[in-house]
Every structure is written in structure tokens, then in C-alpha cells.
Amino acid sequence: MCGIAGLWAATPRDDARQKIEFMTSALYRRGPDAGSCWIDADAGLALGHRRLAVIELSDLGAQPMLSECGRYVITFNGEIYNHLALRKELEQSIRCRWRGTSDTETLLACVAAWGVTATLQKSVGMFAIALWDRVQRQLILARDRFGEKPLYYGWIGQGPETLFVFGSELKALRAHLGFERSIDQGALALFLCFGYVPTPYSIYKDIFKLEPGSTLVLNRADIERRNHTTGFYWRFEDLVRTGLSDPIHDEDEATERLEHAIRDAIDAQIVADVSLGAFLSGGIDSSTVVAIMQARSRRPVKTFTVGFDEKGFDEAPHAAAVANYLGTDHQEIRVSTGRTQAIIPKLSSTYDEPFADPSQIPTSIICQIARQSVTVALSGDGGDELFGGYDRYVWGAQLQRLAGSVPGFMLRATSGALCAVPVEQWNRMGELWPLNRCFSQLGPKMHKLAAALASARSIDTFHRRLAGEWGSGAIPLCSARTPPTKFDQVEIAPEISHPEHRMMFLDAITYLPDDILVKMDRAAMAVSLETRVPMLDHRVAEVAWRLPLSMKIRKGRGKLILRKVLNRYLPASIIERPKAGFTVPLGEWLRGPLRDWAEALLCEQRLLSEGYLNAAIVRDIWQEHISEKRDWSSRLWHILMFQAWLEDERAVSISNAAAPFRESRRSELDVGTVDCH
């Protein structure tokens, strides 16, 4: 796992080396093992790389790397799991002279032989790639199918002084002198709604995220015009259409195919030249990954979980039961409330862009713990979106069907009645519910459902309200117009008729890449830990979308087929329990130990002087929360994470202005340079 950065000037400039070194050094945590950059002075192009060595630990895996033929230069973040198979395929048709064993060298050879698109389509892995074609004088960016690895790009400056820049994180771009740091008010509105900034937007104007499964091609003439060409080498929509048109009807066959696909993915992802382990929560997804890992391993797999003291938030006993049965080398860390809260002030720096999924807190902690023992960790992310694991797929779709036949005034009345019941009271009722499986932490779900009912005529709009925090026009901004998102593209995959499948599809192209994968990538990279996600091998997804809905959700329970796979390794009695989620008691903390921190960020005078948020609305929400009139913890967390990010952003801006190039850090960060003439 690594960090990449680059720039291309409309007019070649003498300071390209200084700029790319500074941009690359900002990504030190993504790659602490080595750093280098590659300069084409005549073209005005510079590529940078920070390395976390996982495959081919010697300098033969160092980047940026020049192809054997001399045509291509690559800076690459990620892993190509099938690169040895790609080497064998190449060797059948051409004579290859391999210098080392890195997947980077394999990528370059494949591009030289087959071209960019064919290489990407054949590659199985997670990646963000920048490729410089020295013959065509083109820069090509590419991102993996599901968006596991991040890639930002955009423009700085105007006219002949324009620069095209890209990087693994915004901090690489933000480190560039001349970056205007103008906040995109529309992106801010989307963040406050969803808790993340959706692709293709970023929090800054003129800076964007590359879409998963896509490529960007840039020519010299495009820079000043701020133009580029994008295309897709793979689309999730196409996978879904193919799967729906060729369903697997036999449940035993489906179980066999799915187990085989997951096993193949794990076999490829447990290859590393460094120590490797896995996260284990005791849930279906992580237990499946760990069970198959252990079955394929000759020694106990290192597994990690975090235990919390708060009732209802601790999954450690479930993880311990799974680990004990499978015989893993399990490490459970009990985390005190104080330690958990201590990580909160660091979140804005870790996530680099406003990000407000509260489970970022335990995710950051477990990554810190795992990194003390391993360099690579596998996770079970992706299983919910592929196999119907979220509660909203079970009850949300049923309610949306019902709401479609109810008059609007009745929906509004029902919404008001549901909201009138306090969150705490809903939670108490959920604990007593006969079918408690779908009703843990019932209060927040019922209040979110109540807000969504008013827009329940369409499954897409209904799902958007379930996924977001604010209704149209309610976002507490001084001025902003919310830009369109994929929720607004009603023409996407119209053949998906089942509401449950529709919600799973929308989550896979929105919530998964922009929340779940961001949460894990940034937390892991902050401590130089590589994470891998077997469920997001596209061949696993292909099997998942060939399965009828009845093999995923049945009798109010999701992940049916995944449970059948797991039952081949674990008895049902160990894993059958309510879905708890991986989060923390924010509501209580904001009224207690975090109150002073929050109050400082939500100070009315501060809000008025900054000019982004409507101070009156924010203060009303805050007062209702601390008085226990309503539980606004989720909305407040969105606001607080923006405020904390804004404070950190200002600090970085001042720091950069005070010491723009930090020449003293160059030797510390081991930045090497290669010139090309």
C-alpha cells in the first residue's frame, strides 16, 4: 500500500521538483518505507510516490517505475492480486525479462503488451494508478472497480500558470503552494446530509474524486482548458444486469459457487512478503473471511477485535467465541472511554476531508492495535451491500411498498407520531420486541424512518432519506444549492425491480465507496497498515448478483446464502445474533465528557464569524440534544466533524504558509528524485 501524487504544468516550470517533493512528503504515513519522484522537465510533469513495501521488499519494487520498453512510467497505490497469473499469460506470447517480483512491474509489462484498458480489465485487485505515456505524451489515471483506493484530481491556477494535480489524499494537494482552499458549498451540503462527500465531488472547488472503475486521460492542451476525457473500463451496473439475466436457482449450487469465489479471493489476498492478519467482529462477514483464512492456513491466523465497556456496543465476546472455535491467534483489546474519546481530536487530520461515520472511532483504534502485530489485515467489508445485511433492506423496503398505497397526509401524520416517541423509549421497546433480531438500537432507526416516510413514493428518494440526515431545504447552511448525486440519476439500472435489491445497488455505488471504504482506508493508512477486502473481489460480486433476492433476504433476515457458507465452518449457535454495528454511544458522550469540546466548536459567535452554518439552527439542535428533549447525535456529529475539520484545515494552511517547503524534512522522509530528459 502506498501514496501517490503528481502534477503537470501547462507551462514547464523550474520548481516542479520542490512541489512534488512537498506533495509526496504529505503522504508519508501511507508509505513510510521509502519515497521518490520522477521528473520530466521538458513536459513539465512530476510523479511522486511513498512506499509501504508489501510485495518485493527490495528496491526492485521501488516507484515511480519505468517500463522495460522505456515508454511508460507508473506511480501506483494498491495490490494486483493476480499479477503472477498475468505474468504467466504474458510469457506465453512474448519474451519477458523480469527484474523483480513486484506487481508494479507486472502492470507495466501488461500495459506495454495489451494496452491500458485490457490490462485493467484483466487485473484483479485494488488500485489507484497514474501512468505517463512518454510517446503519446498523455497522463492516464485509473481507479479500481469498487473504489477501495482513493484518487483525487483537479486544477490549480489559471491560464498558462494552470497545474493539473492528483494525489491519494487531499493533503497532498493541499500541501501545494497556490492551492486556493475554497470550500465547495454544494459539497458541504452533501456532507452534512450523508456524513461524507459523495464522488465525484470533494470538499474543495475544482478538486474531484475519480469514479470507481474509471479512467481519466489528459493531454498537454487539456490542462489550461481544464478539460479531460473519462471513461469506464468496468461498471457495477453492467455486472448487475448480467447477473440478473443469468440467475442461479439452485440453493446448493449457489452456496458452492459463492464459497468457491470467496475462497479464491482470500487465497489471492493472503499472499504477502510481510505479516498478515484479519479483523474479527464476530459478525457474519468478518467470521466468513476469518473462517476461510484459517482453513487455508497452516498456522493460527492473527485476529483482532476491540471491546467496549458500554452495554449494547460491545461485540468482543462474540468475536472471542468465533476465534476460540476456529483456533485463531486472537487479540482482544478492552478500550476505555477515555482512550476512545482521546482519538476524536485526531480524526479530522486522519480523514483529511470532512467525514462523519461514528464508527471511524473504533475503526481507527482497531487499526492502531493491528498495526503493532501485522502489516496487512483482511476485513469483511462489502458483505452487507452484496448480500442484504443492513436492517433497512428488511423493514425499509416492506414499509416503502406499503407507503406507496397510503395518502400523503397519513404518511405525514404517521411520521409525526413516530418522532413524538423519544429515542430512549423506542430503544427500550426494541429490547423487549419478540423478534429482536432487527430491532437493536431501535430509536435512531425509527426516527430516521419517520423522516423518510414523507418521501416514500419512490424507492430511490425513500432510500436517500434513510441514508441521509436532513430533508430537502433543512440543511443548516447559510447558502448552498445541493448538487445532484447518483440518488438523483433515476435512469441507473431501471431493470432492478425489487426495492431491496434497488437499495443494495444504490448503497454499493454510494455508501460503500464513499463511506465504508474511506473509513477503513484512512484509518489504516494513518498507521501504515494495508487492508484488503475479499468480499469486493468482482468475481464474488458477480456470484452475489446472480442470486435471487430470496437467497439473500428471507423471513426478516439477511445474508441467508452467506450464512449457509459460514455454517460449513462454524455452528449457527455461535453466529446467530442481532446485528449490533460497530459504533459508540455518541449521544451520551456529547451530553457528558465531550460536551466542552462540542460546545467550543458550536459556539454561536464562532459559527457566525465562519459564515458556513446557520448558527440559530445549529444552536437549537444542540440545546435540544443536551436537554435530552431529542437525540440529535447523528446530525450533531456531522456538524462537529465539519467544524473540527475546518479548524484543522486552518492550522495546516498557517503551517504551510510559515514553512512552504520544509527542506529539513527531505532527508528525514527519504525522498529521492529521478530526472528524465
Side-chain angles (χ1 to χ4, degrees):
M1 198 66 60
C2 308
I4 65 174
L7 62 88
W8 194 5
T11 303
R13 46 200 302 167
D14 296 333
D15 61 352
R17 175 182 288 119
Q18 285 181 315
K19 290 183 179 297
I20 193 62
E21 287 179 359
F22 192 41
M23 292 172 68
T24 304
S25 69
L27 300 172
Y28 173 73
R29 290 294 178 188
R30 296 190 76 92
D33 294 333
S36 187
C37 50
W38 190 91
I39 311 293
D40 189 329
D42 294 337
L45 178 126
L47 303 177
H49 189 265
R50 288 298 319 179
R51 187 183 186 202
L52 176 64
V54 173
I55 299 290
E56 178 56 88
L57 306 185
S58 76
D59 288 344
L60 293 175
Q63 299 183 50
M65 185 181 290
L66 184 68
S67 65
E68 177 70 20
C69 64
R71 176 174 176 175
Y72 299 102
V73 184
I74 193 172
T75 183
F76 157 56
N77 166 30
E79 302 289 344
I80 305 299
Y81 303 127
N82 67 330
H83 86 98
L84 294 178
L86 293 177
R87 286 193 174 203
K88 289 182 180 179
E89 185 176 348
L90 272 177
E91 290 166 351
Q92 292 174 0
S93 57
I94 62 173
R95 181 173 175 269
C96 299
R97 295 191 304 172
W98 303 110
R99 292 166 286 180
T101 60
S102 74
D103 51 351
T104 309
E105 186 181 0
T106 305
L107 264 180
L108 282 169
C110 290
V111 168
W114 302 329
V116 173
T117 300
T119 297
L120 294 174
Q121 290 172 341
K122 288 174 178 285
S123 296
V124 178
M126 54 177 183
F127 50 81
I129 297 170
L131 185 77
W132 173 236
D133 185 334
R134 300 173 69 193
V135 174
Q136 295 294 327
R137 313 300 279 177
Q138 285 184 334
L139 179 66
I140 303 154
L141 305 183
R143 194 176 178 201
D144 64 64
R145 291 172 175 85
F146 282 97
E148 291 183 57
K149 294 293 100 189
L151 189 54
Y152 292 88
Y153 71 92
W155 289 265
I156 297 173
Q158 300 289 334
E161 298 300 314
T162 303
L163 285 175
F164 178 83
V165 293
F166 66 86
S168 295
E169 296 182 26
L170 280 176
K171 56 173 57 76
L173 281 56
R174 195 167 61 178
H176 190 288
L177 287 181
F179 187 57
E180 294 182 1
R181 320 172 88 86
S182 296
I183 292 177
D184 186 323
Q185 295 272 5
L188 175 56
L190 291 174
F191 164 73
L192 290 173
C193 179
F194 297 112
Y196 57 83
V197 179
T199 302
Y201 309 107
S202 87
I203 194 63
Y204 294 118
K205 292 180 180 177
D206 298 326
I207 304 297
F208 305 92
K209 302 183 186 86
L210 189 63
E211 294 264 12
S214 74
T215 59
L216 180 152
V217 179
L218 189 77
N219 295 290
R220 179 67 164 276
D222 294 328
I223 300 173
E224 190 171 341
R225 296 197 300 259
R226 296 189 171 217
N227 188 30
H228 63 280
T229 302
T230 56
F232 288 88
Y233 66 89
W234 183 89
R235 293 178 70 96
F236 186 60
E237 295 93 315
D238 296 335
L239 178 148
V240 170
R241 292 189 185 99
T242 301
L244 292 174
S245 65
D246 185 24
I248 301 172
H249 295 292
D250 183 80
E251 204 162 287
D252 290 337
E253 178 190 356
T255 304
E256 190 68 31
R257 283 178 178 266
L258 180 59
E259 182 184 13
H260 188 271
I262 297 174
R263 188 172 64 237
D264 283 353
I266 289 174
D267 282 348
Q269 294 188 27
I270 58 177
V271 176
D273 295 334
V274 293
S275 54
L276 183 144
F279 301 130
L280 179 61
S281 69
I284 303 298
D285 305 330
S286 65
S287 296
T288 302
V289 170
V290 169
I292 296 178
M293 281 182 71
Q294 189 59 72
R296 313 294 286 176
S297 176
R298 289 174 294 180
R299 60 182 65 133
V301 172
K302 292 182 180 294
T303 54
F304 306 91
T305 193
V306 172
F308 297 93
D309 295 332
E310 288 80 7
K311 181 182 178 182
F313 295 89
D314 185 18
E315 292 192 293
H318 306 294
V322 172
N324 183 61
Y325 187 89
L326 295 175
T328 70
D329 179 6
H330 190 58
Q331 184 176 355
E332 174 188 318
I333 302 297
R334 304 300 302 182
V335 180
S336 66
T337 300
R339 177 176 177 178
T340 307
Q341 293 162 2
I343 205 168
I344 291 175
K346 304 174 184 177
L347 291 175
S348 56
S349 175
T350 296
Y351 284 88
D352 201 37
E353 186 172 41
F355 185 77
D357 183 336
S359 59
Q360 65 199 121
I361 301 171
T363 300
S364 296
I365 292 172
I366 199 170
C367 286
Q368 290 178 0
I369 294 167
R371 186 61 179 94
Q372 296 171 14
S373 302
V374 299
T375 306
V376 177
L378 273 63
S379 84
D381 289 332
D384 287 309
E385 292 81 4
L386 291 177
F387 301 103
Y390 294 128
D391 291 342
R392 61 176 174 265
Y393 302 152
V394 178
W395 50 262
Q398 295 174 358
L399 287 170
Q400 193 276 330
R401 289 188 184 97
L402 179 63
S405 60
V406 174
F409 76 89
M410 291 183 64
L411 290 178
R412 290 188 291 273
T414 303
S415 175
L418 293 173
C419 280
V421 180
V423 167
E424 292 76 11
Q425 190 170 334
W426 277 120
N427 284 343
R428 286 193 292 271
M429 287 190 287
E431 293 171 2
L432 299 173
W433 211 289
L435 297 176
N436 184 268
R437 182 179 296 110
C438 297
F439 297 101
S440 61
Q441 293 298 308
L442 181 62
K445 298 173 185 177
M446 293 306 295
H447 277 212
K448 180 167 282 192
L449 170 64
L453 280 174
S455 56
R457 299 300 180 182
S458 155
I459 186 60
D460 289 0
T461 55
F462 180 68
H463 181 48
R464 177 184 171 123
R465 289 295 290 117
L466 288 179
E469 278 299 325
W470 306 83
S472 178
I475 301 173
L477 286 173
C478 294
S479 63
R481 193 175 284 180
T482 306
T485 67
K486 291 177 181 176
F487 286 106
D488 304 306
Q489 300 175 26
V490 295
E491 74 280 3
I492 291 182
E495 62 272 29
I496 305 177
S497 56
H498 291 294
E500 295 90 342
H501 260 161
R502 185 85 184 158
M503 295 169 81
M504 292 163 61
F505 167 77
L506 287 169
D507 277 344
I509 62 174
T510 57
Y511 180 63
L512 177 63
D514 289 327
D515 185 304
I516 299 297
L517 297 179
V518 168
K519 175 179 62 181
M520 182 60 73
D521 174 81
R522 304 304 192 277
M525 286 288 90
V527 293
S528 306
L529 174 72
E530 173 171 315
T531 51
R532 299 177 177 179
V533 191
M535 294 291 184
L536 294 185
D537 186 304
H538 66 280
R539 297 165 299 182
V540 174
E542 286 170 358
V543 174
W545 276 94
R546 291 186 63 193
L547 306 180
L549 185 62
S550 61
M551 291 189 194
K552 300 173 185 175
I553 300 173
R554 188 183 300 172
K555 295 181 180 180
R557 186 171 65 167
K559 300 184 185 176
L560 176 69
I561 199 72
L562 200 56
R563 293 170 193 270
K564 289 178 73 69
V565 171
L566 183 54
N567 286 158
R568 296 182 172 187
Y569 300 86
L570 279 168
S573 59
I574 292 181
I575 59 173
E576 293 301 340
R577 59 185 177 84
K579 184 178 179 63
F582 195 37
T583 187
V584 291
L586 273 181
E588 298 173 21
W589 286 1
L590 290 174
R591 295 187 185 104
L594 292 180
R595 182 167 176 171
D596 290 344
W597 169 77
E599 184 65 61
L601 291 173
L602 302 180
C603 168
E604 184 173 11
Q605 192 58 44
R606 179 176 187 160
L607 295 170
L608 289 171
S609 65
E610 291 166 345
Y612 292 108
L613 302 176
N614 185 310
I617 296 176
V618 171
R619 292 299 301 181
D620 284 347
I621 293 171
W622 175 237
Q623 292 301 323
E624 286 189 2
H625 182 81
I626 60 177
S627 66
E628 300 189 43
K629 184 178 180 180
R630 293 284 298 272
D631 187 326
W632 290 123
S633 53
S634 185
R635 291 188 178 188
L636 285 168
W637 192 246
H638 290 197
I639 294 168
L640 287 165
M641 284 295 96
F642 171 68
Q643 289 295 101
W645 173 85
L646 190 61
E647 185 173 66
D648 185 68
E649 204 272 348
R650 286 173 179 156
V652 172
S653 178
I654 293 170
S655 176
N656 286 351
F661 291 112
R662 291 179 176 81
E663 292 293 339
S664 62
R665 289 192 69 192
R666 290 179 58 190
S667 59
E668 172 195 345
L669 298 182
D670 185 29
V671 177
T673 306
V674 177
D675 292 298
C676 174
H677 299 284

